[in-house]
Amino acid sequence: HYSNFDNMLMFLYIGILIVIVQGRLIHGLSKKFGEKKLITAGCSLLVLGLLLTPLSDNSILLYLALGILAFGSGINTPSNQSLLSKLADDDVQGGVLGVGQSLSTMGRILGPAVGGIAFQEWGATSPYIIGACAMVVCVVLSVLLPEVSHLNSQKQENPAN
């Protein structure tokens, strides 16, 4: 199917897209839409990308799915961190961000472990389906997140204003 070089190109493609999203686009997207909407959109894109990946029967469709995954991840990760930062009181902000990062790391450990077991037990498509189902739960939960206005975050940064 895909050679080591092909896999390297896929990872390079994903990495470059995430760098573009997080290094160039996320600031404007955050200002325009806010973290809550970006988290919901990012999780939704991850659902779509995870469902498309195992259905990709050619490289063009696979790269489309990987691009959707990269964009979803690229907007979701910094939006989660930003929302945590804005919601946490100043005296516990570091701890809250640390716990958030720890939970993210735990997901990066448990996800591949569950995916590996699913792959072995139910086949190559199952990790993607399980991941998509988990992300659907995240989409639903993201709707329940509090809305943090950009004005409120500026007031928190400059309490004298």
Side-chain angles (χ1 to χ4, degrees), residues 80-110:
N80 279 322
Q81 290 294 89
S82 178
L83 187 62
L84 283 174
S85 174
K86 289 178 180 179
L87 291 174
D89 291 333
D90 289 346
D91 59 332
V92 295
Q93 194 174 54
V96 168
L97 289 172
V99 169
Q101 194 61 40
S102 296
L103 291 171
S104 180
T105 299
M106 185 169 48
R108 288 186 184 95
I109 294 168
L110 293 177

PDB file of all heavy atoms in Angstrom, residues 80-110:
ATOM      1  N   ASN A  80      -8.639  24.977  23.092  1.00  0.00           N
ATOM      2  CA  ASN A  80      -8.830  24.367  24.411  1.00  0.00           C
ATOM      3  C   ASN A  80      -7.948  25.048  25.455  1.00  0.00           C
ATOM      4  O   ASN A  80      -8.414  25.412  26.531  1.00  0.00           O
ATOM      5  CB  ASN A  80      -8.507  22.874  24.371  1.00  0.00           C
ATOM      6  CG  ASN A  80      -9.634  22.038  23.833  1.00  0.00           C
ATOM      7  OD1 ASN A  80     -10.795  22.312  24.099  1.00  0.00           O
ATOM      8  ND2 ASN A  80      -9.308  21.021  23.066  1.00  0.00           N
ATOM      9  N   GLN A  81      -6.680  25.211  25.141  1.00  0.00           N
ATOM     10  CA  GLN A  81      -5.747  25.832  26.076  1.00  0.00           C
ATOM     11  C   GLN A  81      -6.152  27.280  26.377  1.00  0.00           C
ATOM     12  O   GLN A  81      -6.090  27.730  27.517  1.00  0.00           O
ATOM     13  CB  GLN A  81      -4.318  25.780  25.537  1.00  0.00           C
ATOM     14  CG  GLN A  81      -3.709  24.385  25.523  1.00  0.00           C
ATOM     15  CD  GLN A  81      -3.511  23.835  26.917  1.00  0.00           C
ATOM     16  OE1 GLN A  81      -4.383  23.200  27.485  1.00  0.00           O
ATOM     17  NE2 GLN A  81      -2.351  24.089  27.478  1.00  0.00           N
ATOM     18  N   SER A  82      -6.549  28.005  25.342  1.00  0.00           N
ATOM     19  CA  SER A  82      -6.950  29.398  25.523  1.00  0.00           C
ATOM     20  C   SER A  82      -8.193  29.505  26.398  1.00  0.00           C
ATOM     21  O   SER A  82      -8.262  30.357  27.288  1.00  0.00           O
ATOM     22  CB  SER A  82      -7.204  30.031  24.155  1.00  0.00           C
ATOM     23  OG  SER A  82      -7.628  31.360  24.300  1.00  0.00           O
ATOM     24  N   LEU A  83      -9.181  28.653  26.154  1.00  0.00           N
ATOM     25  CA  LEU A  83     -10.395  28.690  26.953  1.00  0.00           C
ATOM     26  C   LEU A  83     -10.100  28.347  28.411  1.00  0.00           C
ATOM     27  O   LEU A  83     -10.595  29.010  29.324  1.00  0.00           O
ATOM     28  CB  LEU A  83     -11.452  27.743  26.378  1.00  0.00           C
ATOM     29  CG  LEU A  83     -12.832  27.827  27.030  1.00  0.00           C
ATOM     30  CD1 LEU A  83     -13.453  29.210  26.845  1.00  0.00           C
ATOM     31  CD2 LEU A  83     -13.757  26.768  26.458  1.00  0.00           C
ATOM     32  N   LEU A  84      -9.274  27.329  28.633  1.00  0.00           N
ATOM     33  CA  LEU A  84      -8.877  26.992  30.003  1.00  0.00           C
ATOM     34  C   LEU A  84      -8.209  28.186  30.680  1.00  0.00           C
ATOM     35  O   LEU A  84      -8.505  28.508  31.827  1.00  0.00           O
ATOM     36  CB  LEU A  84      -7.903  25.808  30.007  1.00  0.00           C
ATOM     37  CG  LEU A  84      -8.483  24.420  29.801  1.00  0.00           C
ATOM     38  CD1 LEU A  84      -7.363  23.389  29.685  1.00  0.00           C
ATOM     39  CD2 LEU A  84      -9.430  24.059  30.931  1.00  0.00           C
ATOM     40  N   SER A  85      -7.331  28.832  29.969  1.00  0.00           N
ATOM     41  CA  SER A  85      -6.613  29.987  30.511  1.00  0.00           C
ATOM     42  C   SER A  85      -7.567  31.115  30.874  1.00  0.00           C
ATOM     43  O   SER A  85      -7.445  31.739  31.927  1.00  0.00           O
ATOM     44  CB  SER A  85      -5.591  30.473  29.480  1.00  0.00           C
ATOM     45  OG  SER A  85      -4.972  31.656  29.916  1.00  0.00           O
ATOM     46  N   LYS A  86      -8.533  31.384  30.018  1.00  0.00           N
ATOM     47  CA  LYS A  86      -9.474  32.480  30.264  1.00  0.00           C
ATOM     48  C   LYS A  86     -10.459  32.171  31.383  1.00  0.00           C
ATOM     49  O   LYS A  86     -10.912  33.077  32.076  1.00  0.00           O
ATOM     50  CB  LYS A  86     -10.236  32.818  28.979  1.00  0.00           C
ATOM     51  CG  LYS A  86      -9.363  33.502  27.946  1.00  0.00           C
ATOM     52  CD  LYS A  86     -10.126  33.787  26.683  1.00  0.00           C
ATOM     53  CE  LYS A  86      -9.229  34.478  25.671  1.00  0.00           C
ATOM     54  NZ  LYS A  86      -9.938  34.748  24.412  1.00  0.00           N
ATOM     55  N   LEU A  87     -10.809  30.912  31.551  1.00  0.00           N
ATOM     56  CA  LEU A  87     -11.781  30.542  32.570  1.00  0.00           C
ATOM     57  C   LEU A  87     -11.166  30.401  33.960  1.00  0.00           C
ATOM     58  O   LEU A  87     -11.869  30.519  34.962  1.00  0.00           O
ATOM     59  CB  LEU A  87     -12.485  29.242  32.189  1.00  0.00           C
ATOM     60  CG  LEU A  87     -13.428  29.319  30.995  1.00  0.00           C
ATOM     61  CD1 LEU A  87     -13.953  27.939  30.630  1.00  0.00           C
ATOM     62  CD2 LEU A  87     -14.580  30.277  31.268  1.00  0.00           C
ATOM     63  N   ALA A  88      -9.873  30.137  34.028  1.00  0.00           N
ATOM     64  CA  ALA A  88      -9.212  29.910  35.315  1.00  0.00           C
ATOM     65  C   ALA A  88      -8.920  31.238  36.018  1.00  0.00           C
ATOM     66  O   ALA A  88      -8.551  32.224  35.370  1.00  0.00           O
ATOM     67  CB  ALA A  88      -7.910  29.142  35.113  1.00  0.00           C
ATOM     68  N   ASP A  89      -9.095  31.248  37.313  1.00  0.00           N
ATOM     69  CA  ASP A  89      -8.676  32.404  38.100  1.00  0.00           C
ATOM     70  C   ASP A  89      -7.161  32.528  38.033  1.00  0.00           C
ATOM     71  O   ASP A  89      -6.446  31.530  37.869  1.00  0.00           O
ATOM     72  CB  ASP A  89      -9.110  32.245  39.562  1.00  0.00           C
ATOM     73  CG  ASP A  89     -10.619  32.345  39.736  1.00  0.00           C
ATOM     74  OD1 ASP A  89     -11.267  33.017  38.907  1.00  0.00           O
ATOM     75  OD2 ASP A  89     -11.136  31.749  40.702  1.00  0.00           O
ATOM     76  N   ASP A  90      -6.678  33.746  38.163  1.00  0.00           N
ATOM     77  CA  ASP A  90      -5.245  34.011  38.040  1.00  0.00           C
ATOM     78  C   ASP A  90      -4.396  33.147  38.971  1.00  0.00           C
ATOM     79  O   ASP A  90      -3.335  32.666  38.580  1.00  0.00           O
ATOM     80  CB  ASP A  90      -4.935  35.487  38.309  1.00  0.00           C
ATOM     81  CG  ASP A  90      -5.418  36.396  37.202  1.00  0.00           C
ATOM     82  OD1 ASP A  90      -5.745  35.888  36.108  1.00  0.00           O
ATOM     83  OD2 ASP A  90      -5.474  37.625  37.426  1.00  0.00           O
ATOM     84  N   ASP A  91      -4.863  32.933  40.208  1.00  0.00           N
ATOM     85  CA  ASP A  91      -4.051  32.215  41.188  1.00  0.00           C
ATOM     86  C   ASP A  91      -3.974  30.708  40.942  1.00  0.00           C
ATOM     87  O   ASP A  91      -3.137  30.024  41.531  1.00  0.00           O
ATOM     88  CB  ASP A  91      -4.541  32.502  42.607  1.00  0.00           C
ATOM     89  CG  ASP A  91      -5.989  32.104  42.842  1.00  0.00           C
ATOM     90  OD1 ASP A  91      -6.772  32.104  41.872  1.00  0.00           O
ATOM     91  OD2 ASP A  91      -6.335  31.809  44.004  1.00  0.00           O
ATOM     92  N   VAL A  92      -4.822  30.179  40.067  1.00  0.00           N
ATOM     93  CA  VAL A  92      -4.793  28.736  39.771  1.00  0.00           C
ATOM     94  C   VAL A  92      -4.572  28.449  38.290  1.00  0.00           C
ATOM     95  O   VAL A  92      -4.641  27.301  37.863  1.00  0.00           O
ATOM     96  CB  VAL A  92      -6.080  28.024  40.256  1.00  0.00           C
ATOM     97  CG1 VAL A  92      -6.196  28.072  41.773  1.00  0.00           C
ATOM     98  CG2 VAL A  92      -7.311  28.596  39.580  1.00  0.00           C
ATOM     99  N   GLN A  93      -4.309  29.488  37.516  1.00  0.00           N
ATOM    100  CA  GLN A  93      -4.199  29.334  36.067  1.00  0.00           C
ATOM    101  C   GLN A  93      -3.139  28.307  35.669  1.00  0.00           C
ATOM    102  O   GLN A  93      -3.390  27.456  34.825  1.00  0.00           O
ATOM    103  CB  GLN A  93      -3.907  30.680  35.431  1.00  0.00           C
ATOM    104  CG  GLN A  93      -4.096  30.694  33.937  1.00  0.00           C
ATOM    105  CD  GLN A  93      -3.938  32.087  33.380  1.00  0.00           C
ATOM    106  OE1 GLN A  93      -2.923  32.735  33.608  1.00  0.00           O
ATOM    107  NE2 GLN A  93      -4.948  32.539  32.649  1.00  0.00           N
ATOM    108  N   GLY A  94      -1.972  28.375  36.266  1.00  0.00           N
ATOM    109  CA  GLY A  94      -0.902  27.423  35.937  1.00  0.00           C
ATOM    110  C   GLY A  94      -1.303  25.991  36.230  1.00  0.00           C
ATOM    111  O   GLY A  94      -1.050  25.081  35.429  1.00  0.00           O
ATOM    112  N   GLY A  95      -1.957  25.768  37.359  1.00  0.00           N
ATOM    113  CA  GLY A  95      -2.410  24.429  37.716  1.00  0.00           C
ATOM    114  C   GLY A  95      -3.474  23.908  36.759  1.00  0.00           C
ATOM    115  O   GLY A  95      -3.442  22.750  36.347  1.00  0.00           O
ATOM    116  N   VAL A  96      -4.402  24.783  36.386  1.00  0.00           N
ATOM    117  CA  VAL A  96      -5.465  24.387  35.464  1.00  0.00           C
ATOM    118  C   VAL A  96      -4.874  24.030  34.100  1.00  0.00           C
ATOM    119  O   VAL A  96      -5.235  23.010  33.503  1.00  0.00           O
ATOM    120  CB  VAL A  96      -6.521  25.508  35.334  1.00  0.00           C
ATOM    121  CG1 VAL A  96      -7.465  25.250  34.174  1.00  0.00           C
ATOM    122  CG2 VAL A  96      -7.298  25.658  36.638  1.00  0.00           C
ATOM    123  N   LEU A  97      -3.955  24.852  33.618  1.00  0.00           N
ATOM    124  CA  LEU A  97      -3.312  24.556  32.331  1.00  0.00           C
ATOM    125  C   LEU A  97      -2.489  23.275  32.414  1.00  0.00           C
ATOM    126  O   LEU A  97      -2.449  22.491  31.466  1.00  0.00           O
ATOM    127  CB  LEU A  97      -2.438  25.728  31.886  1.00  0.00           C
ATOM    128  CG  LEU A  97      -3.212  26.972  31.452  1.00  0.00           C
ATOM    129  CD1 LEU A  97      -2.253  28.141  31.221  1.00  0.00           C
ATOM    130  CD2 LEU A  97      -4.034  26.708  30.216  1.00  0.00           C
ATOM    131  N   GLY A  98      -1.849  23.044  33.545  1.00  0.00           N
ATOM    132  CA  GLY A  98      -1.079  21.813  33.736  1.00  0.00           C
ATOM    133  C   GLY A  98      -1.961  20.575  33.714  1.00  0.00           C
ATOM    134  O   GLY A  98      -1.626  19.567  33.083  1.00  0.00           O
ATOM    135  N   VAL A  99      -3.108  20.651  34.397  1.00  0.00           N
ATOM    136  CA  VAL A  99      -4.043  19.527  34.392  1.00  0.00           C
ATOM    137  C   VAL A  99      -4.585  19.316  32.977  1.00  0.00           C
ATOM    138  O   VAL A  99      -4.705  18.173  32.508  1.00  0.00           O
ATOM    139  CB  VAL A  99      -5.191  19.756  35.400  1.00  0.00           C
ATOM    140  CG1 VAL A  99      -6.304  18.730  35.213  1.00  0.00           C
ATOM    141  CG2 VAL A  99      -4.665  19.696  36.824  1.00  0.00           C
ATOM    142  N   GLY A 100      -4.898  20.406  32.285  1.00  0.00           N
ATOM    143  CA  GLY A 100      -5.369  20.294  30.902  1.00  0.00           C
ATOM    144  C   GLY A 100      -4.350  19.606  30.014  1.00  0.00           C
ATOM    145  O   GLY A 100      -4.691  18.741  29.203  1.00  0.00           O
ATOM    146  N   GLN A 101      -3.089  19.983  30.169  1.00  0.00           N
ATOM    147  CA  GLN A 101      -2.023  19.364  29.372  1.00  0.00           C
ATOM    148  C   GLN A 101      -1.851  17.894  29.752  1.00  0.00           C
ATOM    149  O   GLN A 101      -1.607  17.048  28.882  1.00  0.00           O
ATOM    150  CB  GLN A 101      -0.709  20.134  29.571  1.00  0.00           C
ATOM    151  CG  GLN A 101       0.342  19.791  28.570  1.00  0.00           C
ATOM    152  CD  GLN A 101      -0.082  20.112  27.143  1.00  0.00           C
ATOM    153  OE1 GLN A 101      -0.710  21.122  26.867  1.00  0.00           O
ATOM    154  NE2 GLN A 101       0.244  19.233  26.225  1.00  0.00           N
ATOM    155  N   SER A 102      -1.988  17.586  31.044  1.00  0.00           N
ATOM    156  CA  SER A 102      -1.891  16.191  31.486  1.00  0.00           C
ATOM    157  C   SER A 102      -3.003  15.335  30.892  1.00  0.00           C
ATOM    158  O   SER A 102      -2.770  14.197  30.465  1.00  0.00           O
ATOM    159  CB  SER A 102      -1.951  16.113  33.011  1.00  0.00           C
ATOM    160  OG  SER A 102      -0.834  16.757  33.579  1.00  0.00           O
ATOM    161  N   LEU A 103      -4.217  15.873  30.858  1.00  0.00           N
ATOM    162  CA  LEU A 103      -5.332  15.141  30.258  1.00  0.00           C
ATOM    163  C   LEU A 103      -5.112  14.937  28.759  1.00  0.00           C
ATOM    164  O   LEU A 103      -5.424  13.874  28.217  1.00  0.00           O
ATOM    165  CB  LEU A 103      -6.651  15.872  30.517  1.00  0.00           C
ATOM    166  CG  LEU A 103      -7.122  15.880  31.966  1.00  0.00           C
ATOM    167  CD1 LEU A 103      -8.310  16.819  32.138  1.00  0.00           C
ATOM    168  CD2 LEU A 103      -7.452  14.479  32.443  1.00  0.00           C
ATOM    169  N   SER A 104      -4.556  15.937  28.108  1.00  0.00           N
ATOM    170  CA  SER A 104      -4.242  15.815  26.684  1.00  0.00           C
ATOM    171  C   SER A 104      -3.202  14.713  26.462  1.00  0.00           C
ATOM    172  O   SER A 104      -3.333  13.899  25.539  1.00  0.00           O
ATOM    173  CB  SER A 104      -3.721  17.157  26.166  1.00  0.00           C
ATOM    174  OG  SER A 104      -3.408  17.092  24.813  1.00  0.00           O
ATOM    175  N   THR A 105      -2.207  14.676  27.310  1.00  0.00           N
ATOM    176  CA  THR A 105      -1.176  13.644  27.222  1.00  0.00           C
ATOM    177  C   THR A 105      -1.769  12.260  27.476  1.00  0.00           C
ATOM    178  O   THR A 105      -1.438  11.293  26.776  1.00  0.00           O
ATOM    179  CB  THR A 105      -0.040  13.937  28.225  1.00  0.00           C
ATOM    180  OG1 THR A 105       0.533  15.208  27.897  1.00  0.00           O
ATOM    181  CG2 THR A 105       1.034  12.859  28.190  1.00  0.00           C
ATOM    182  N   MET A 106      -2.666  12.176  28.451  1.00  0.00           N
ATOM    183  CA  MET A 106      -3.301  10.894  28.733  1.00  0.00           C
ATOM    184  C   MET A 106      -4.078  10.408  27.507  1.00  0.00           C
ATOM    185  O   MET A 106      -4.065   9.216  27.180  1.00  0.00           O
ATOM    186  CB  MET A 106      -4.233  11.010  29.934  1.00  0.00           C
ATOM    187  CG  MET A 106      -4.817   9.681  30.350  1.00  0.00           C
ATOM    188  SD  MET A 106      -5.685   9.663  31.935  1.00  0.00           S
ATOM    189  CE  MET A 106      -6.737  11.068  31.847  1.00  0.00           C
ATOM    190  N   GLY A 107      -4.733  11.332  26.810  1.00  0.00           N
ATOM    191  CA  GLY A 107      -5.439  10.960  25.587  1.00  0.00           C
ATOM    192  C   GLY A 107      -4.503  10.452  24.512  1.00  0.00           C
ATOM    193  O   GLY A 107      -4.843   9.548  23.745  1.00  0.00           O
ATOM    194  N   ARG A 108      -3.292  11.029  24.460  1.00  0.00           N
ATOM    195  CA  ARG A 108      -2.308  10.591  23.468  1.00  0.00           C
ATOM    196  C   ARG A 108      -1.712   9.228  23.813  1.00  0.00           C
ATOM    197  O   ARG A 108      -1.104   8.578  22.959  1.00  0.00           O
ATOM    198  CB  ARG A 108      -1.199  11.636  23.333  1.00  0.00           C
ATOM    199  CG  ARG A 108      -1.653  12.883  22.633  1.00  0.00           C
ATOM    200  CD  ARG A 108      -0.492  13.847  22.391  1.00  0.00           C
ATOM    201  NE  ARG A 108      -0.974  15.065  21.797  1.00  0.00           N
ATOM    202  CZ  ARG A 108      -1.284  16.167  22.461  1.00  0.00           C
ATOM    203  NH1 ARG A 108      -1.135  16.191  23.774  1.00  0.00           N
ATOM    204  NH2 ARG A 108      -1.722  17.237  21.840  1.00  0.00           N
ATOM    205  N   ILE A 109      -1.883   8.809  25.052  1.00  0.00           N
ATOM    206  CA  ILE A 109      -1.435   7.477  25.469  1.00  0.00           C
ATOM    207  C   ILE A 109      -2.570   6.468  25.308  1.00  0.00           C
ATOM    208  O   ILE A 109      -2.400   5.408  24.707  1.00  0.00           O
ATOM    209  CB  ILE A 109      -0.929   7.502  26.933  1.00  0.00           C
ATOM    210  CG1 ILE A 109       0.336   8.354  27.039  1.00  0.00           C
ATOM    211  CG2 ILE A 109      -0.686   6.079  27.451  1.00  0.00           C
ATOM    212  CD1 ILE A 109       0.752   8.676  28.457  1.00  0.00           C
ATOM    213  N   LEU A 110      -3.743   6.804  25.842  1.00  0.00           N
ATOM    214  CA  LEU A 110      -4.874   5.873  25.810  1.00  0.00           C
ATOM    215  C   LEU A 110      -5.432   5.684  24.400  1.00  0.00           C
ATOM    216  O   LEU A 110      -5.847   4.577  24.050  1.00  0.00           O
ATOM    217  CB  LEU A 110      -5.982   6.361  26.744  1.00  0.00           C
ATOM    218  CG  LEU A 110      -5.660   6.352  28.235  1.00  0.00           C
ATOM    219  CD1 LEU A 110      -6.823   6.919  29.031  1.00  0.00           C
ATOM    220  CD2 LEU A 110      -5.327   4.945  28.699  1.00  0.00           C
TER     221      LEU A 110
END
